[in-house]
Amino acid sequence: MNANHWTREVFLEHPEMFLPLLEDRLSRAREQVDGLVKLFERYGVEHGSMVLDLACGIGRHSIELALRGYNIIGVDISLDYLGIAERESDRKGVSDHCRFVGGDMRSIGSFFEGQLFSSSLSLFTSLGYYDDETDLSILRQINHLSLDGGLLIVHIMCKKHAESLDGKRKLRKNNGILRIEDSIYDEKTSRLKSRWTFLKEKGKGYKKIGVLHFENRLYTYKELSEMIKLAGWDHLESFSDLKLNPFEGGSKYVVLLSRKAD
Ligand SMILES: C[S@@+](CC[C@H](N)C(=O)[O-])C[C@H]1O[C@@H](n2cnc3c(N)ncnc32)[C@H](O)[C@@H]1O
């Protein structure tokens, strides 16, 4: 990986700083997996099928899916996150149904010899980290790892929402740590550039403890659905979230459900 790429700083050098965001969302995993399971049942992904959770983080969806009877392979670049996922899957008694593999999604096609998946997931804006050709290549590689009729579920922030964050500052507090999120949307590159400054309570004030930079490529519905099609997938349905609410113009997120084209 390029030594200066932002993902290195966020996920490899300081995974502990992004971790609270993933932990915060652990409580949403159960209802999100309810939505995923509804889609699996609607499109014939049977219990016991192999599911790929690409960029699985701490395994919040992988583990919940394993509890519902699916077999999961979670792939992530952060060995710290995978360690948490492994310990949690052990604790919940589903380690026989989850395997966590360290690696870079850009070469996902070379990871599994002879292994084909019934469904592949890319959840919580885990695409758009590199350039458009790389996203297309990742989607193509997953296509080649899919069984005939296999599903792809991509859940990602919408470009329109990213535009609305331009020039905005958000403050969030968690366990005595204040996070200041400053964002700029670059129209020329369709990238949301964010700087997160972390401050820790000290006496009556705060002390700066770190800064993370993000640079996410966001897509419109049309751009993303065209790219998914180009990668060999047929569109099935779209939603605004994993509770399967309908997608509308102002939705912050989009969930695109596709099936491997014949
Ligand atoms: C926004 S988090 C989403 C995690 C998980 N899907 C979830 O919903 O909790 C993005 C994840 O992508 C992983 N990641 C970043 N770059 C990656 C790469 N090149 N290959 C594999 N995983 C990567 C990070 O380590 C992180 O866990």
Side-chain angles (χ1 to χ4, degrees):
M1 186 191 300
N2 178 336
N4 299 319
H5 196 269
W6 66 268
T7 54
R8 169 173 282 280
E9 176 190 73
V10 176
F11 300 118
L12 295 179
E13 289 166 10
H14 296 290
E16 77 291 351
M17 296 185 89
F18 189 78
L19 179 61
L21 194 87
L22 297 176
E23 289 174 333
D24 248 13
R25 279 165 173 72
L26 272 171
S27 58
R28 298 189 202 172
R30 192 175 299 168
E31 74 177 358
Q32 294 185 329
V33 168
D34 287 346
L36 294 174
V37 168
K38 264 190 209 151
L39 297 177
F40 288 173
E41 288 173 353
R42 195 176 297 171
Y43 290 99
V45 177
E46 291 172 359
H47 283 125
S49 300
M50 288 302 306
V51 175
L52 172 65
D53 186 3
L54 193 60
C56 65
I58 57 174
R60 59 193 183 110
H61 302 104
S62 304
I63 293 168
E64 190 60 38
L65 280 166
L67 286 165
R68 315 280 180 105
Y70 298 92
N71 289 309
I72 318 296
I73 298 188
V75 173
D76 203 278
I77 204 161
S78 164
L79 298 183
D80 296 70
Y81 294 165
L82 294 177
I84 295 172
E86 260 164 21
R87 287 193 290 281
E88 192 58 12
S89 71
D90 255 352
R91 199 180 68 79
K92 294 210 160 135
V94 288
S95 51
D96 287 352
H97 297 278
C98 303
R99 187 151 71 84
F100 293 104
V101 178
D104 191 321
M105 61 177 140
R106 287 173 291 180
S107 48
I108 187 69
S110 61
F111 282 31
F112 309 107
E113 194 142 324
Q115 177 66 65
L116 293 175
F117 295 93
S118 298
S119 182
S120 298
L121 313 172
S122 172
L123 305 178
F124 193 31
T125 313
S126 296
L127 271 181
Y129 293 174
Y130 307 99
D131 55 21
D132 298 19
E133 292 70 34
T134 306
D135 282 340
L136 177 63
S137 155
I138 292 167
L139 294 169
R140 271 203 181 115
Q141 291 179 62
I142 304 174
N143 186 273
H144 295 146
L145 289 174
S146 298
L147 288 166
D148 289 346
L151 298 184
L152 169 70
I153 301 176
V154 175
H155 167 236
I156 190 167
M157 185 192 281
C158 294
K159 188 193 258 189
K160 214 176 209 171
H161 180 55
E163 284 167 358
S164 77
L165 296 175
D166 183 37
K168 297 266 165 62
R169 165 170 283 189
K170 289 192 178 176
L171 301 184
R172 309 197 193 262
K173 211 168 163 193
N174 191 324
N175 282 337
I177 307 280
L178 177 65
R179 190 169 85 223
I180 305 174
E181 301 179 5
D182 291 302
S183 301
I184 299 284
Y185 178 74
D186 181 344
E187 204 168 334
K188 287 193 206 129
T189 58
S190 300
R191 285 182 184 270
L192 185 67
K193 299 179 179 179
S194 310
R195 188 182 66 230
W196 290 8
T197 308
F198 295 82
L199 303 159
K200 194 175 173 150
E201 277 173 346
K202 191 170 182 215
K204 287 189 181 153
Y206 283 94
K207 181 178 180 271
K208 184 158 133 186
I209 54 167
V211 179
L212 292 181
H213 298 88
F214 300 77
E215 213 181 305
N216 292 77
R217 161 67 155 118
L218 282 315
Y219 296 95
T220 62
Y221 181 100
K222 188 166 180 285
E223 287 168 343
L224 185 63
S225 49
E226 283 176 1
M227 184 167 70
I228 289 174
K229 189 167 176 22
L230 201 59
W233 302 91
D234 286 337
H235 177 75
L236 291 173
E237 293 192 64
S238 45
F239 309 93
S240 66
D241 54 35
L242 290 169
K243 287 190 233 165
L244 310 186
N245 287 308
F247 179 79
E248 287 160 5
S251 300
K252 291 183 181 175
Y253 283 82
V254 62
V255 176
L256 283 179
L257 169 67
S258 316
R259 179 156 37 209
K260 182 170 172 153
D262 292 337

